[in-house]
Amino acid sequence: MRAVTIRDGALSVEEHPDPEPGPGEILVAIRAAGLNGADMLQRKGAYPAPPGSPADIPGLELAGEVSARGPGAERFEPGDRVMAVVGGGGQAELAVVHERAAMPVPETLEFPQAGGTPEVFVTAHDALFSQGGLRPGERLLVHGGAGGVGTAAVQLGRAAGARVTATVRNEGLRADVAGLGATAIGPEEYVEAGPFDVILELVGAPNMGGNVKALASGGRVVVIGVGAGFKAEVNLVALMGKRGTIRASTLRARPLEEKAAASRLVEKEVLPLFEAGVLTVPVAETFPLDEVEAAYERFAKGGKFGKVVLLTG
Amino acid sequence: MRAVTIRDGALSVEEHPDPEPGPGEILVAIRAAGLNGADMLQRKGAYPAPPGSPADIPGLELAGEVSARGPGAERFEPGDRVMAVVGGGGQAELAVVHERAAMPVPETLEFPQAGGTPEVFVTAHDALFSQGGLRPGERLLVHGGAGGVGTAAVQLGRAAGARVTATVRNEGLRADVAGLGATAIGPEEYVEAGPFDVILELVGAPNMGGNVKALASGGRVVVIGVGAGFKAEVNLVALMGKRGTIRASTLRARPLEEKAAASRLVEKEVLPLFEAGVLTVPVAETFPLDEVEAAYERFAKGGKFGKVVLLTG
C-alpha cells in the first residue's frame, strides 16, 4: 500500500507492506483521512506515535470500507462503510483497526466528511460531556470555534441545549461559526462575554488567566489543545473562589478499551444527530494523497472553517 | 453574649447582642470552637466574612448544646449536642445555625474534639470524595498531613480503602501522622513517592509543579489551601499527558443548601466511623475564650498535630 511517510520531518508518499488484520481487527480500505494538530507536531518529531501504532505513518482518523476481517471480528461486513479514531497510520491506503474502535458511517455523510469526523467528534464529545460534564442550559465557551474540533464542539454543545459562545480569530469566519449555532466573538472578548460553565480550550496557555476570570461558579476548563503555548500561570485563589476545575486531556494515548468506550458513546449520542440532520462536518478543503505536503501546509496556515481532509483512495 | 471580635486586625473578647434564631434555625450555646487557617486571613482583613455571617466575629465551626429553636426548627431538641460548619461567628458564647447545617455530636467525642471536628471533616470529606472522587485502592497524597484538615483527610482516606501518603514538614510529627495510617514523608520527597491518584493540596502553589509530575494517569489535584502562595505555574502538556485534573474549592462561601448537603453526607458517611472508633480528632491544644490571642498565635506558629480549639463556655 501507499502511505504518507514522515522521515526526518519531511513528508512523502511511499510504499509500505499491506497491514494484516489480527484477532478482532478489520482491514479498512481508506477513502478519506482528516488532518489534525497532532499530525503537525508528529511531523516535527515532537509527538511520537503511541506504542502499537506505525511510527512513521501519521493520521489519527480515517473513513473507508471494510476489505477484510481478522479472526473473530464480526461487528462489520466486508464492504461496510466505517470510520475510526486510530493511534496513527490513518493517512494511507489501508489500515487495521480494532472493530470495537470503529463506527459505522452515518448515511448522511460522504467520505470526505466521514474522514474528518471521528477524531474531532469523539474528541469534542469526550471533552464536553465526559470531561467537562456539560449540562443543558449551561453556558459553553469554545476557544477556536472555526477549526475541526471547534466546529464539532459548537454543534454538540448547541444540540445538547447549552448556550454556546465561540472565539474565532479570523473575522471572516465568524458568520460561518455563528451559522452552527454559536455567538461568535473575537479572541480578546471572552472574559466580558462570560461567565461560562464550561470552557473548551483548544488554543493554549495564553488564555488560561482569562479563562479563570471568565469561569462561572463551579465551572470547568477542559484543555485539549495547546498550540499557542503550554506554560500557564494559574491564580489558585481565583480558582478556589470559583470552585473551578482545570482538566486536561488527550484522546490519542488512551488504551484501546477507553477509545472503544468513547466510540460507543459517540455511536449512541452523536451519530443519531447526523442521521437527523442536526450535525454537519464542515470540510474546508480536500487534497489527493499525493498532495499531502500541500494539505499539511493548508492545515498549518490556519484560518479555515472546518476540516482539511486527505482523499486516500 | 461574649464573642471574639476582630477590630482593625486586633483580637479581643467583647459583649455582643445575643443572636436570635429565625425560621428553621437553632440557637447553640457554644462549648468549643476550632481555629482554622481562614481565621488568620480574616483577622488580617484578607478574607471578609460572607454575606449573612457576622462581619466581626470569626469562627467557622462550633460545637455546643441547643438552647432554643426558631419557628419550624425540629431536627434537634433543646439540650442536644450539635456541631456545625458556619460562615462565621463560631468563636462566641452563642450562635444561630440553620438546623440543616447542624449535625449531632457523636457519643465518642468530647466537646473540645467536637468543636474541632465539623470544618475539617466536612472539608476533607468534600475534597477527597465529592471533589476528588477518591476510590478504594487508589493512592492518596495529603500535603500537610499533620494539621486539622490533614489529619482528617489521612484518616478518611485510610478508612475508605485508599493507600495514603502524607507530607509533614515537622519531622517530630511524622510518627503521629503515621499512627493515623499514612506513610509520612518530608515535604520534598513526594514526587519520587508517587504516582498518586488524588493529591490534596493544603499548602499552596509551590507544590503544583511537583504535583503534576507526581500525578497518576487520570489523577486529580484538589486545592483547598494556599497558605504558601497562590500563583501556580502549570505545564498544560504535562497535565494533558496525565489526563489530569486540578480542582480548587472552598467550603465557606457556599450557599446554605450546599453546606447542608455536605453536612448530610458527613452524617451518613463519617459520623458512623466516629461511633465505630475508626476516626479520632487530634487536639493539639485548647485555650479558654479569654486567651484567644494566644490561641491564634499557637495556630499561626504551625508545627502542630491536629486542632487548636477555643473553649467558649
Side-chain angles (χ1 to χ4, degrees), chain A residues 185-278:
Chain A
I185 61 176
E188 309 301 334
E189 299 165 23
Y190 65 99
V191 174
E192 63 191 74
F196 300 100
D197 301 292
V198 174
I199 298 178
L200 183 62
E201 184 52 74
L202 301 168
V203 174
N207 283 335
M208 290 303 288
N211 285 345
V212 172
K213 286 185 194 152
L215 214 53
S217 182
R220 298 80 75 192
V221 181
V222 182
V223 181
I224 59 171
V226 292
F230 62 88
K231 282 192 181 168
E233 199 174 270
V234 176
N235 181 326
L236 295 176
V237 166
L239 195 64
M240 286 169 73
K242 299 293 179 72
R243 298 165 47 205
T245 299
I246 297 169
R247 174 170 287 191
S249 188
T250 74
L251 203 59
R252 200 182 71 150
R254 296 190 200 173
L256 170 65
E257 61 272 22
E258 292 191 33
K259 280 184 185 153
S263 299
R264 287 300 79 67
L265 264 183
V266 166
E267 278 183 4
K268 180 164 173 277
E269 302 188 0
V270 178
L271 299 194
L273 299 176
F274 281 110
E275 306 281 4
V278 172

Side-chain angles (χ1 to χ4, degrees), chain A residues 7-22:
Chain A
R7 217 176 285 287
D8 299 329
L11 291 166
S12 56
V13 177
E14 299 187 9
E15 277 292 331
H16 290 254
D18 286 2
E20 287 182 23

Side-chain angles (χ1 to χ4, degrees), chain B residues 205-297:
Chain B
N207 283 334
M208 289 303 289
N211 284 345
V212 173
K213 285 184 193 149
L215 214 53
S217 181
R220 294 82 73 193
V221 181
V222 182
V223 180
I224 59 171
V226 291
F230 63 87
K231 282 193 181 167
E233 199 175 270
V234 176
N235 180 327
L236 295 176
V237 166
L239 195 65
M240 285 169 73
K242 299 292 179 73
R243 297 165 47 203
T245 298
I246 298 168
R247 176 169 285 192
S249 188
T250 75
L251 203 60
R252 199 183 70 151
R254 294 191 202 175
L256 170 65
E257 61 271 23
E258 293 191 33
K259 280 186 184 151
S263 299
R264 289 298 81 65
L265 264 181
V266 167
E267 278 184 6
K268 180 165 173 277
E269 302 188 0
V270 178
L271 298 194
L273 299 176
F274 281 109
E275 306 283 5
V278 173
L279 301 178
T280 63
V281 183
V283 171
E285 204 165 344
T286 61
F287 294 84
L289 184 58
D290 285 321
E291 293 177 21
V292 59
E293 179 77 40
Y296 273 57
E297 272 171 31

Side-chain angles (χ1 to χ4, degrees), chain B residues 159-177:
Chain B
R163 292 168 283 168
V164 185
T165 301
T167 62
V168 181
R169 181 181 306 276
N170 185 332
E171 215 174 326
L173 299 180
R174 286 182 203 156
D176 292 315
V177 173

Side-chain angles (χ1 to χ4, degrees), chain B residues 138-220:
Chain B
E138 287 197 320
R139 294 151 295 185
L140 167 67
L141 173 67
V142 177
H143 273 300
V149 178
T151 53
V154 164
Q155 294 181 82
L156 287 173
R158 172 82 171 200
R163 292 168 283 168
V164 185
T165 301
T167 62
V168 181
R169 181 181 306 276
N170 185 332
E171 215 174 326
L173 299 180
R174 286 182 203 156
D176 292 315
V177 173
L180 298 177
T183 302
I185 61 177
E188 310 300 334
E189 299 165 24
Y190 65 98
V191 174
E192 64 191 74
F196 300 100
D197 301 292
V198 174
I199 299 178
L200 183 61
E201 184 52 73
L202 301 169
V203 175
N207 283 334
M208 289 303 289
N211 284 345
V212 173
K213 285 184 193 149
L215 214 53
S217 181
R220 294 82 73 193

